[in-house]
Amino acid sequence: MKRIYAYFFRGLITFLPVGLTVYALYLFVTWVEGSAMRLLRPFTGDFYLPGLGIVLGTALILVLGFLVSQPFMKRALGWVELPFTNLPLVKSIYSSLKSFADYFAPHERDAQQVVLLKKPDSDLSIIGLVTRQSLADLPLDAHTQKNVAVYLPMGYMIGGYTVFVPRDWVQVLDMSVEEAMRSSLTAWMGNTKNPPSP
């Protein structure tokens, strides 16, 4: 029975990530295709090409990205964000998600670094992400302004901490931000156990 349980849970763990990913993609594609069909039916009648919703959604996202990149759209975008940045509970959620998304924006790529944070007189080390190379524009004392900002994500993405530390406390790792975030999501748990012998 123990061997059967082990095989069952191993199969379940193998299936869940693939199954949930495929299911999420299926829901997304279904929603996009349904929305595009309802939008285009008044103009095209019964004619509809499968996949047109994906093309239309991609085009709309590209147009939106182009528009928000223009200087004249900043004020308009500020008006759109006004309700989300002023309501108490919504403000906290929206600001956190927006800051997190902005960190992965292309214009921030040069500042992104995965680092090993270790205090010189301690054996404790932790992996984090450099979010700011310069703190000169923050209202901090002159000594702290020389530091760098490092974000320390918590396991399963339930939160995290940003710490300001001296530059010599961090060591840049040869790891992408995406890989570091994926590992942080599972608390750096790896499949290090040997499979049970048959």
Side-chain angles (χ1 to χ4, degrees), residues 66-126:
F66 171 77
L67 289 176
V68 298
S69 300
Q70 306 307 309
F72 66 87
M73 284 296 296
K74 289 185 178 180
R75 179 171 295 183
L77 189 60
W79 283 102
V80 173
E81 291 182 327
L82 199 58
F84 301 99
T85 55
N86 284 276
L87 295 175
L89 180 60
V90 177
K91 176 182 178 180
S92 301
I93 299 173
Y94 178 77
S95 299
S96 300
L97 291 175
K98 188 174 187 303
S99 298
F100 185 78
D102 285 344
Y103 179 72
F104 289 93
H107 64 275
E108 295 286 347
R109 282 287 174 189
D110 292 340
Q112 292 181 10
Q113 288 181 333
V114 181
V115 295
L116 183 70
L117 173 60
K118 185 174 182 180
K119 191 177 178 181
D121 59 350
S122 173
D123 291 331
L124 177 67
S125 59
I126 187 170

Side-chain angles (χ1 to χ4, degrees), residues 4 24-25 31 45 54 74 100 116 128 141 143 146 165-166 170-172 183:
I4 292 175
L25 288 174
W31 176 77
I54 301 296
K74 289 185 178 180
F100 185 78
L116 183 70
D141 60 86
H143 178 73
K146 299 177 182 178
V165 299
V170 298
Q171 173 188 346
V172 179
S183 298

Side-chain angles (χ1 to χ4, degrees), residues 4-185:
I4 292 175
Y5 285 144
Y7 289 152
F8 174 79
F9 284 110
R10 183 172 301 161
L12 184 64
I13 290 172
T14 303
F15 167 77
L16 277 179
V18 177
L20 291 176
T21 301
V22 171
Y23 182 63
L25 288 174
Y26 168 77
L27 291 179
F28 175 74
V29 170
T30 303
W31 176 77
V32 170
E33 289 289 308
S35 300
M37 193 178 298
R38 288 191 296 271
L39 183 65
L40 296 176
R41 273 285 162 82
F43 305 100
T44 61
D46 292 334
F47 174 77
Y48 183 78
L49 209 60
L52 193 57
I54 301 296
V55 175
L56 184 62
T58 303
L60 289 175
I61 291 174
L62 286 173
V63 170
L64 179 63
F66 171 77
L67 289 176
V68 298
S69 300
Q70 306 307 309
F72 66 87
M73 284 296 296
K74 289 185 178 180
R75 179 171 295 183
L77 189 60
W79 283 102
V80 173
E81 291 182 327
L82 199 58
F84 301 99
T85 55
N86 284 276
L87 295 175
L89 180 60
V90 177
K91 176 182 178 180
S92 301
I93 299 173
Y94 178 77
S95 299
S96 300
L97 291 175
K98 188 174 187 303
S99 298
F100 185 78
D102 285 344
Y103 179 72
F104 289 93
H107 64 275
E108 295 286 347
R109 282 287 174 189
D110 292 340
Q112 292 181 10
Q113 288 181 333
V114 181
V115 295
L116 183 70
L117 173 60
K118 185 174 182 180
K119 191 177 178 181
D121 59 350
S122 173
D123 291 331
L124 177 67
S125 59
I126 187 170
I127 291 181
L129 308 172
V130 173
T131 56
R132 290 182 68 118
Q133 295 282 357
S134 174
L135 309 178
D137 59 332
L138 298 182
L140 304 171
D141 60 86
H143 178 73
T144 306
Q145 286 181 344
K146 299 177 182 178
N147 296 346
V148 294
V150 180
Y151 174 68
L152 307 174
M154 298 173 64
Y156 303 101
M157 297 304 294
I158 59 174
Y161 301 93
T162 300
V163 294
F164 302 145
V165 299
R167 294 179 184 274
D168 57 358
W169 286 20
V170 298
Q171 173 188 346
V172 179
L173 299 179
D174 184 17
M175 177 184 294
S176 68
V177 174
E178 290 79 6
E179 184 180 354
M181 294 304 293
R182 281 198 306 269
S183 298
S184 297
L185 181 62

